[in-house]
Short mmCIF file of all heavy atoms in Angstrom, two decimals:
data_model
loop_
_atom_site.label_atom_id
_atom_site.label_comp_id
_atom_site.label_asym_id
_atom_site.label_seq_id
_atom_site.Cartn_x
_atom_site.Cartn_y
_atom_site.Cartn_z
N PHE A 9 8.24 -10.02 22.95
CA PHE A 9 7.84 -10.00 21.55
C PHE A 9 7.96 -11.37 20.95
O PHE A 9 9.04 -11.98 20.95
CB PHE A 9 8.39 -8.97 20.72
CG PHE A 9 8.14 -7.54 21.25
CD1 PHE A 9 9.10 -6.88 22.08
CD2 PHE A 9 6.97 -6.88 20.88
CE1 PHE A 9 8.82 -5.59 22.59
CE2 PHE A 9 6.68 -5.64 21.37
CZ PHE A 9 7.63 -5.02 22.23
N ALA A 10 6.93 -11.92 20.22
CA ALA A 10 7.04 -13.21 19.59
C ALA A 10 6.16 -13.02 18.29
O ALA A 10 5.24 -12.20 18.17
CB ALA A 10 6.53 -14.33 20.36
N PRO A 11 6.55 -13.82 17.24
CA PRO A 11 5.84 -13.67 15.99
C PRO A 11 4.25 -14.03 16.14
O PRO A 11 3.90 -14.87 16.84
CB PRO A 11 6.47 -14.73 15.11
CG PRO A 11 7.79 -14.88 15.59
CD PRO A 11 7.65 -14.74 17.15
N LEU A 12 3.47 -13.20 15.51
CA LEU A 12 1.99 -13.45 15.56
C LEU A 12 1.73 -14.69 14.62
O LEU A 12 2.53 -15.03 13.72
CB LEU A 12 1.24 -12.23 14.99
CG LEU A 12 1.26 -10.99 16.00
CD1 LEU A 12 0.78 -9.83 15.22
CD2 LEU A 12 0.49 -11.27 17.16
N PRO A 13 0.54 -15.39 14.99
CA PRO A 13 0.22 -16.55 14.16
C PRO A 13 0.17 -16.34 12.70
O PRO A 13 0.58 -17.17 11.84
CB PRO A 13 -1.08 -17.04 14.82
CG PRO A 13 -1.11 -16.43 16.14
CD PRO A 13 -0.38 -15.14 15.99
N VAL A 14 -0.44 -15.27 12.32
CA VAL A 14 -0.72 -14.90 10.83
C VAL A 14 0.37 -13.92 10.42
O VAL A 14 0.41 -12.85 11.02
CB VAL A 14 -2.09 -14.41 10.57
CG1 VAL A 14 -2.27 -14.05 9.13
CG2 VAL A 14 -3.17 -15.37 11.02
N ARG A 15 1.13 -14.31 9.44
CA ARG A 15 2.22 -13.39 8.91
C ARG A 15 1.66 -12.68 7.66
O ARG A 15 1.00 -13.29 6.81
CB ARG A 15 3.43 -14.21 8.65
CG ARG A 15 4.09 -14.73 9.81
CD ARG A 15 5.36 -15.52 9.39
NE ARG A 15 6.34 -14.80 8.60
CZ ARG A 15 7.54 -15.32 8.20
NH1 ARG A 15 7.80 -16.57 8.42
NH2 ARG A 15 8.31 -14.54 7.49
N LEU A 16 2.07 -11.40 7.57
CA LEU A 16 1.75 -10.62 6.37
C LEU A 16 2.91 -9.98 5.80
O LEU A 16 3.73 -9.52 6.58
CB LEU A 16 0.64 -9.58 6.64
CG LEU A 16 -0.75 -10.03 6.84
CD1 LEU A 16 -1.64 -8.76 7.15
CD2 LEU A 16 -1.31 -10.67 5.66
N SER A 17 3.22 -9.96 4.51
CA SER A 17 4.26 -9.21 3.91
C SER A 17 3.88 -7.80 3.72
O SER A 17 2.79 -7.54 3.29
CB SER A 17 4.64 -9.86 2.58
OG SER A 17 5.13 -11.14 2.76
N PRO A 18 4.79 -6.86 4.07
CA PRO A 18 4.48 -5.45 3.79
C PRO A 18 4.41 -5.08 2.31
O PRO A 18 5.15 -5.76 1.55
CB PRO A 18 5.56 -4.70 4.52
CG PRO A 18 6.70 -5.62 4.49
CD PRO A 18 6.09 -7.00 4.64
N CYS A 19 3.59 -4.23 1.90
CA CYS A 19 3.53 -3.74 0.52
C CYS A 19 4.72 -2.72 0.33
O CYS A 19 5.01 -1.92 1.23
CB CYS A 19 2.23 -3.20 0.22
SG CYS A 19 0.93 -4.26 0.21
N LEU A 20 5.37 -2.72 -0.77
CA LEU A 20 6.35 -1.70 -1.03
C LEU A 20 5.76 -0.32 -1.08
O LEU A 20 4.82 -0.06 -1.74
CB LEU A 20 6.96 -2.02 -2.37
CG LEU A 20 8.11 -1.11 -2.97
CD1 LEU A 20 9.36 -1.18 -1.90
CD2 LEU A 20 8.52 -1.40 -4.27
N GLY A 21 6.33 0.50 -0.22
CA GLY A 21 5.79 1.87 -0.14
C GLY A 21 4.70 2.07 0.87
O GLY A 21 4.12 3.19 0.96
N GLU A 22 4.37 1.05 1.64
CA GLU A 22 3.30 1.14 2.60
C GLU A 22 3.83 1.82 3.90
O GLU A 22 4.98 1.79 4.29
CB GLU A 22 2.86 -0.27 2.96
CG GLU A 22 1.67 -0.42 3.94
CD GLU A 22 1.12 -1.79 4.12
OE1 GLU A 22 1.93 -2.77 3.97
OE2 GLU A 22 -0.02 -1.93 4.65
N SER A 23 2.97 2.53 4.54
CA SER A 23 3.35 3.18 5.77
C SER A 23 3.24 2.20 7.04
O SER A 23 2.63 1.16 6.83
CB SER A 23 2.32 4.39 6.10
OG SER A 23 1.09 3.86 6.52
N THR A 24 3.93 2.54 8.05
CA THR A 24 3.99 1.65 9.28
C THR A 24 2.64 1.42 9.85
O THR A 24 2.23 0.39 10.26
CB THR A 24 4.91 2.23 10.27
OG1 THR A 24 6.32 2.32 9.74
CG2 THR A 24 5.07 1.27 11.54
N ASN A 25 1.92 2.54 10.01
CA ASN A 25 0.56 2.52 10.42
C ASN A 25 -0.40 1.56 9.72
O ASN A 25 -1.16 0.83 10.24
CB ASN A 25 -0.11 3.89 10.60
CG ASN A 25 0.27 4.69 11.84
OD1 ASN A 25 1.02 4.08 12.71
ND2 ASN A 25 -0.08 5.91 11.93
N SER A 26 -0.24 1.69 8.24
CA SER A 26 -1.09 0.78 7.49
C SER A 26 -0.67 -0.67 7.73
O SER A 26 -1.59 -1.51 7.84
CB SER A 26 -0.87 1.22 6.06
OG SER A 26 -1.49 0.31 5.16
N TYR A 27 0.63 -0.95 7.82
CA TYR A 27 1.04 -2.32 7.98
C TYR A 27 0.60 -2.87 9.30
O TYR A 27 0.13 -4.05 9.41
CB TYR A 27 2.49 -2.48 7.83
CG TYR A 27 3.06 -3.78 7.95
CD1 TYR A 27 2.66 -4.79 7.06
CD2 TYR A 27 4.02 -4.10 8.82
CE1 TYR A 27 3.11 -6.04 7.23
CE2 TYR A 27 4.61 -5.42 8.97
CZ TYR A 27 4.12 -6.35 8.13
OH TYR A 27 4.59 -7.69 8.25
N ILE A 28 0.69 -2.12 10.37
CA ILE A 28 0.25 -2.52 11.70
C ILE A 28 -1.20 -2.81 11.70
O ILE A 28 -1.67 -3.78 12.34
CB ILE A 28 0.68 -1.45 12.76
CG1 ILE A 28 2.21 -1.47 12.96
CG2 ILE A 28 0.01 -1.81 14.17
CD1 ILE A 28 2.63 -0.39 13.99
N ARG A 29 -2.00 -1.98 11.02
CA ARG A 29 -3.36 -2.15 10.96
C ARG A 29 -3.72 -3.42 10.25
O ARG A 29 -4.54 -4.17 10.76
CB ARG A 29 -4.00 -0.89 10.33
CG ARG A 29 -5.55 -1.13 10.06
CD ARG A 29 -6.20 0.13 9.34
NE ARG A 29 -6.25 1.25 10.25
CZ ARG A 29 -6.56 2.47 9.81
NH1 ARG A 29 -6.89 2.58 8.61
NH2 ARG A 29 -6.74 3.46 10.66
N ARG A 30 -3.16 -3.70 9.16
CA ARG A 30 -3.34 -4.91 8.41
C ARG A 30 -2.95 -6.14 9.23
O ARG A 30 -3.68 -7.22 9.27
CB ARG A 30 -2.70 -4.93 7.06
CG ARG A 30 -3.30 -3.95 6.07
CD ARG A 30 -2.88 -4.19 4.58
NE ARG A 30 -1.38 -4.30 4.44
CZ ARG A 30 -0.74 -5.42 4.19
NH1 ARG A 30 -1.44 -6.55 4.00
NH2 ARG A 30 0.59 -5.45 4.01
N LEU A 31 -1.83 -6.08 9.84
CA LEU A 31 -1.32 -7.15 10.66
C LEU A 31 -2.22 -7.51 11.84
O LEU A 31 -2.53 -8.70 12.19
CB LEU A 31 0.13 -6.83 11.17
CG LEU A 31 0.92 -7.96 11.85
CD1 LEU A 31 1.15 -9.11 10.91
CD2 LEU A 31 2.18 -7.35 12.41
N ALA A 32 -2.69 -6.47 12.39
CA ALA A 32 -3.61 -6.67 13.67
C ALA A 32 -4.93 -7.30 13.20
O ALA A 32 -5.40 -8.28 13.78
CB ALA A 32 -3.89 -5.24 14.29
N ARG A 33 -5.51 -6.80 12.16
CA ARG A 33 -6.79 -7.37 11.73
C ARG A 33 -6.65 -8.83 11.22
O ARG A 33 -7.58 -9.61 11.37
CB ARG A 33 -7.44 -6.47 10.63
CG ARG A 33 -7.90 -5.20 11.23
CD ARG A 33 -8.40 -4.22 10.17
NE ARG A 33 -8.98 -3.05 10.70
CZ ARG A 33 -9.31 -1.90 10.17
NH1 ARG A 33 -9.02 -1.81 8.81
NH2 ARG A 33 -9.82 -0.90 10.75
N ALA A 34 -5.59 -9.11 10.64
CA ALA A 34 -5.34 -10.56 10.15
C ALA A 34 -5.28 -11.49 11.36
O ALA A 34 -5.52 -12.62 11.26
CB ALA A 34 -4.13 -10.64 9.26
N ASN A 35 -4.75 -10.90 12.48
CA ASN A 35 -4.69 -11.77 13.70
C ASN A 35 -5.77 -11.51 14.68
O ASN A 35 -5.69 -11.83 15.85
CB ASN A 35 -3.32 -11.46 14.34
CG ASN A 35 -2.15 -12.14 13.55
OD1 ASN A 35 -1.87 -13.28 13.78
ND2 ASN A 35 -1.52 -11.42 12.72
N HIS A 36 -6.88 -10.91 14.21
CA HIS A 36 -8.02 -10.64 15.07
C HIS A 36 -7.76 -9.85 16.24
O HIS A 36 -8.30 -10.06 17.38
CB HIS A 36 -8.67 -11.89 15.49
CG HIS A 36 -9.04 -12.87 14.27
ND1 HIS A 36 -10.05 -12.56 13.48
CD2 HIS A 36 -8.39 -13.98 13.83
CE1 HIS A 36 -10.15 -13.47 12.50
NE2 HIS A 36 -9.13 -14.29 12.73
N LEU A 37 -6.90 -8.77 16.13
CA LEU A 37 -6.56 -7.73 17.14
C LEU A 37 -7.04 -6.36 16.75
O LEU A 37 -7.22 -6.07 15.62
CB LEU A 37 -5.10 -7.80 17.43
CG LEU A 37 -4.33 -9.13 17.90
CD1 LEU A 37 -2.86 -8.91 17.89
CD2 LEU A 37 -4.80 -9.50 19.24
N GLN A 38 -7.28 -5.60 17.85
CA GLN A 38 -7.61 -4.15 17.55
C GLN A 38 -6.18 -3.54 17.11
O GLN A 38 -5.20 -3.69 17.76
CB GLN A 38 -8.17 -3.49 18.76
CG GLN A 38 -9.47 -3.93 19.22
CD GLN A 38 -10.52 -3.20 18.37
OE1 GLN A 38 -10.39 -3.03 17.10
NE2 GLN A 38 -11.65 -2.77 18.98
N PRO A 39 -6.22 -2.78 15.95
CA PRO A 39 -5.05 -2.05 15.55
C PRO A 39 -4.39 -1.25 16.56
O PRO A 39 -3.22 -1.17 16.74
CB PRO A 39 -5.49 -1.31 14.33
CG PRO A 39 -6.62 -2.11 13.76
CD PRO A 39 -7.40 -2.61 14.98
N SER A 40 -5.27 -0.49 17.40
CA SER A 40 -4.67 0.39 18.41
C SER A 40 -4.03 -0.42 19.51
O SER A 40 -3.04 -0.02 20.03
CB SER A 40 -5.93 1.27 19.03
OG SER A 40 -6.87 0.40 19.56
N PHE A 41 -4.56 -1.56 19.83
CA PHE A 41 -3.98 -2.43 20.84
C PHE A 41 -2.56 -2.90 20.36
O PHE A 41 -1.58 -2.79 21.18
CB PHE A 41 -4.79 -3.69 21.13
CG PHE A 41 -4.14 -4.70 22.00
CD1 PHE A 41 -4.09 -4.53 23.37
CD2 PHE A 41 -3.52 -5.82 21.47
CE1 PHE A 41 -3.40 -5.45 24.17
CE2 PHE A 41 -2.91 -6.72 22.19
CZ PHE A 41 -2.79 -6.57 23.53
N LEU A 42 -2.40 -3.41 19.13
CA LEU A 42 -1.11 -3.88 18.68
C LEU A 42 -0.13 -2.78 18.57
O LEU A 42 0.99 -2.82 18.96
CB LEU A 42 -1.33 -4.51 17.26
CG LEU A 42 -0.07 -5.07 16.63
CD1 LEU A 42 0.63 -6.08 17.51
CD2 LEU A 42 -0.34 -5.65 15.25
N HIS A 43 -0.60 -1.55 18.08
CA HIS A 43 0.29 -0.43 17.98
C HIS A 43 0.83 0.04 19.38
O HIS A 43 2.06 0.20 19.52
CB HIS A 43 -0.47 0.82 17.38
CG HIS A 43 0.46 2.03 17.20
ND1 HIS A 43 0.87 2.33 15.97
CD2 HIS A 43 0.82 2.97 18.06
CE1 HIS A 43 1.59 3.48 16.05
NE2 HIS A 43 1.66 3.80 17.37
N CYS A 44 -0.05 0.14 20.38
CA CYS A 44 0.48 0.50 21.65
C CYS A 44 1.30 -0.64 22.27
O CYS A 44 2.26 -0.26 22.99
CB CYS A 44 -0.72 0.80 22.59
SG CYS A 44 -1.73 2.20 22.10
N TYR A 45 0.98 -1.86 22.05
CA TYR A 45 1.79 -2.99 22.60
C TYR A 45 3.26 -2.94 22.03
O TYR A 45 4.17 -3.12 22.74
CB TYR A 45 1.08 -4.30 22.16
CG TYR A 45 1.94 -5.47 22.45
CD1 TYR A 45 2.10 -6.05 23.84
CD2 TYR A 45 2.54 -6.18 21.43
CE1 TYR A 45 2.74 -7.13 24.08
CE2 TYR A 45 3.35 -7.36 21.67
CZ TYR A 45 3.43 -7.87 23.04
OH TYR A 45 4.13 -8.89 23.32
N LEU A 46 3.29 -2.63 20.75
CA LEU A 46 4.66 -2.57 20.08
C LEU A 46 5.42 -1.39 20.56
O LEU A 46 6.61 -1.43 20.73
CB LEU A 46 4.47 -2.50 18.51
CG LEU A 46 4.02 -3.74 17.86
CD1 LEU A 46 3.63 -3.42 16.48
CD2 LEU A 46 5.04 -4.78 17.94
N CYS A 47 4.77 -0.17 20.80
CA CYS A 47 5.48 0.95 21.30
C CYS A 47 5.81 0.74 22.84
O CYS A 47 6.91 1.08 23.21
CB CYS A 47 4.57 2.16 21.16
SG CYS A 47 4.34 2.66 19.43
N GLY A 48 4.86 0.36 23.67
CA GLY A 48 5.20 0.21 25.06
C GLY A 48 5.26 1.56 25.83
O GLY A 48 5.26 2.56 25.14
N PRO A 49 5.26 1.46 27.17
CA PRO A 49 5.33 2.81 27.92
C PRO A 49 6.74 3.39 27.75
O PRO A 49 7.75 2.66 27.58
CB PRO A 49 5.11 2.28 29.28
CG PRO A 49 5.56 0.88 29.38
CD PRO A 49 5.32 0.34 27.98
N PRO A 50 6.85 4.71 27.78
CA PRO A 50 5.75 5.65 28.05
C PRO A 50 5.10 6.24 26.76
O PRO A 50 4.22 6.93 26.74
CB PRO A 50 6.39 6.80 28.82
CG PRO A 50 7.77 6.83 28.37
CD PRO A 50 8.20 5.33 27.94
N GLN A 51 5.76 5.82 25.60
CA GLN A 51 5.32 6.33 24.30
C GLN A 51 4.36 5.43 23.61
O GLN A 51 4.57 4.85 22.56
CB GLN A 51 6.55 6.56 23.39
CG GLN A 51 7.58 7.42 24.01
CD GLN A 51 7.12 8.84 24.10
OE1 GLN A 51 6.23 9.30 23.35
NE2 GLN A 51 7.60 9.54 25.06
N TRP A 52 3.18 5.23 24.24
CA TRP A 52 2.19 4.32 23.78
C TRP A 52 1.72 4.74 22.33
O TRP A 52 1.28 3.79 21.55
CB TRP A 52 0.89 4.30 24.70
CG TRP A 52 1.16 3.79 26.00
CD1 TRP A 52 1.38 4.55 27.17
CD2 TRP A 52 1.35 2.44 26.39
NE1 TRP A 52 1.59 3.70 28.33
CE2 TRP A 52 1.51 2.44 27.83
CE3 TRP A 52 1.24 1.19 25.80
CZ2 TRP A 52 1.77 1.26 28.52
CZ3 TRP A 52 1.52 0.05 26.51
CH2 TRP A 52 1.67 0.07 27.84
N PHE A 53 1.70 6.00 22.04
CA PHE A 53 1.18 6.51 20.73
C PHE A 53 2.24 6.90 19.85
O PHE A 53 1.95 7.65 18.83
CB PHE A 53 0.18 7.65 20.99
CG PHE A 53 -0.96 7.20 21.85
CD1 PHE A 53 -0.91 7.36 23.26
CD2 PHE A 53 -2.15 6.62 21.38
CE1 PHE A 53 -1.96 7.00 24.16
CE2 PHE A 53 -3.20 6.22 22.14
CZ PHE A 53 -3.11 6.39 23.57
N GLY A 54 3.50 6.58 20.11
CA GLY A 54 4.61 7.05 19.33
C GLY A 54 4.88 6.11 18.17
O GLY A 54 3.98 5.62 17.44
N ARG A 55 6.14 5.68 17.92
CA ARG A 55 6.55 4.83 16.91
C ARG A 55 7.28 3.61 17.53
O ARG A 55 8.17 3.87 18.30
CB ARG A 55 7.36 5.52 15.85
CG ARG A 55 6.67 6.51 15.04
CD ARG A 55 7.36 6.97 13.89
NE ARG A 55 6.52 7.74 12.86
CZ ARG A 55 5.90 6.94 11.92
NH1 ARG A 55 6.11 5.68 11.79
NH2 ARG A 55 5.12 7.58 11.04
#
Side-chain angles (χ1 to χ4, degrees):
F9 297 97
L12 290 169
V14 179
R15 293 177 56 179
L16 284 180
S17 296
C19 298
L20 182 63
E22 187 174 18
S23 70
T24 301
N25 275 356
S26 172
Y27 182 55
I28 291 176
R29 175 181 284 176
R30 291 198 303 114
L31 186 63
R33 288 177 174 165
N35 286 276
H36 304 287
L37 299 171
Q38 289 279 41
S40 60
F41 170 83
L42 180 59
H43 183 103
C44 293
Y45 172 78
L46 289 169
C47 291
Q51 301 296 329
W52 297 103
F53 302 92
R55 288 190 164 273

